[in-house]
């Protein structure tokens, strides 16, 4: 009898944990949808595809269209869910959803692509400045031929 109760208790706990996990996963999906992560993944993929097209210019457009149809943003989202699950509690996810539903959260979502793009441009310029400064100092200290 005790063994049966123990097994039953374990099953109930497992189902409860699974229900919580499913609920949290659904909330993470909601958060990813709310923040537009699928759209960002699609934009990233489009940029990668353009880069590939430039590198392999002899490949016909049909190949690229067929390939693009095989790649789904949902696949990336499924890979991201465990990361969110690992780093955020369900309460954290609830708070993030509330934030992104707020006016400032919505503004952040709508401006994030431009902010990211402008930040990348500034980051590239900064990296170029650092590279030039390193080369100048290497030359000045005799580590490189002038």
């Amino acid at each position: 009898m005790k063994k049966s109760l123990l097994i039953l208790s374990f099953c109930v706990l497992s189902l409860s944990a699974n229900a919580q996990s499913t609920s949290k996963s659904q909330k993470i999906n909601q958060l990813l949808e709310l923040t537009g992560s699928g759209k960002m993944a699609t934009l990233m993929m489009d940029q990668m595809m353009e880069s590939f097209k430039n590198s392999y210019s002899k490949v016909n457009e049909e190949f690229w269209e067929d390939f693009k149809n095989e790649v789904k943003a949902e696949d990336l989202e499924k890979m991201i869910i465990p990361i969110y699950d690992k780093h955020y509690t369900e309460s954290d996810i609830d708070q993030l959803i509330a934030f992104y539903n707020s006016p400032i959260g919505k503004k952040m979502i709508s401006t994030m692509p431009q902010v990211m793009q402008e930040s990348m441009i500034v980051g590239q310029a900064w990296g170029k400045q650092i590279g030039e400064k390193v080369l100048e100092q290497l030359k000045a200290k005799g580590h490189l031929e002038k």
Side-chain angles (χ1 to χ4, degrees):
M1 181 70 173
K2 287 182 182 181
K3 189 176 184 181
S4 296
L5 284 174
L6 183 62
I7 292 172
L8 180 61
S9 296
F10 179 73
C11 288
V12 168
L13 288 173
S14 295
L15 288 173
S16 174
N18 189 38
Q20 287 176 339
S21 177
T22 301
S23 170
K24 186 177 178 186
S25 292
Q26 290 171 338
K27 288 179 180 181
I28 293 169
N29 268 329
Q30 180 184 356
L31 177 62
L32 293 175
E33 185 176 320
L34 186 62
T35 58
S37 68
K39 291 177 187 173
M40 286 195 292
T42 301
L43 287 174
M44 284 178 19
M45 184 193 64
D46 289 345
Q47 290 174 347
M48 286 190 312
M49 295 303 292
E50 285 304 313
S51 177
F52 281 126
K53 284 181 185 181
N54 290 334
S55 296
Y56 302 98
S57 58
K58 293 182 181 179
V59 176
N60 64 30
E61 188 63 30
E62 183 181 358
F63 171 84
W64 300 115
E65 287 301 317
D66 289 344
F67 186 81
K68 187 176 177 180
N69 289 331
E70 291 178 27
V71 180
K72 305 288 181 223
E74 297 84 33
D75 294 338
L76 178 60
E77 289 177 353
K78 287 177 188 173
M79 295 167 72
I80 290 173
I81 288 172
I83 297 168
Y84 276 71
D85 188 39
K86 176 181 169 184
H87 293 283
Y88 298 105
T89 66
E90 189 167 356
S91 175
D92 293 336
I93 299 297
D94 290 336
Q95 291 175 56
L96 286 167
I97 289 170
F99 169 74
Y100 284 116
N101 275 315
S102 73
I104 190 63
K106 289 178 181 180
K107 180 177 181 178
M108 186 173 185
I109 291 167
S110 70
T111 59
M112 190 54 65
Q114 295 89 0
V115 169
M116 297 281 287
Q117 184 177 19
E118 291 174 30
S119 297
M120 286 188 338
I121 291 168
V122 169
Q124 288 172 347
W126 182 62
K128 184 179 177 185
Q129 288 174 349
I130 290 173
E132 290 170 355
K133 189 173 183 176
V134 166
L135 289 174
E136 283 176 25
Q137 289 187 17
L138 286 170
K139 286 178 186 177
K141 299 198 184 232
H143 297 291
L144 294 177
E145 293 180 25
K146 293 183 180 184

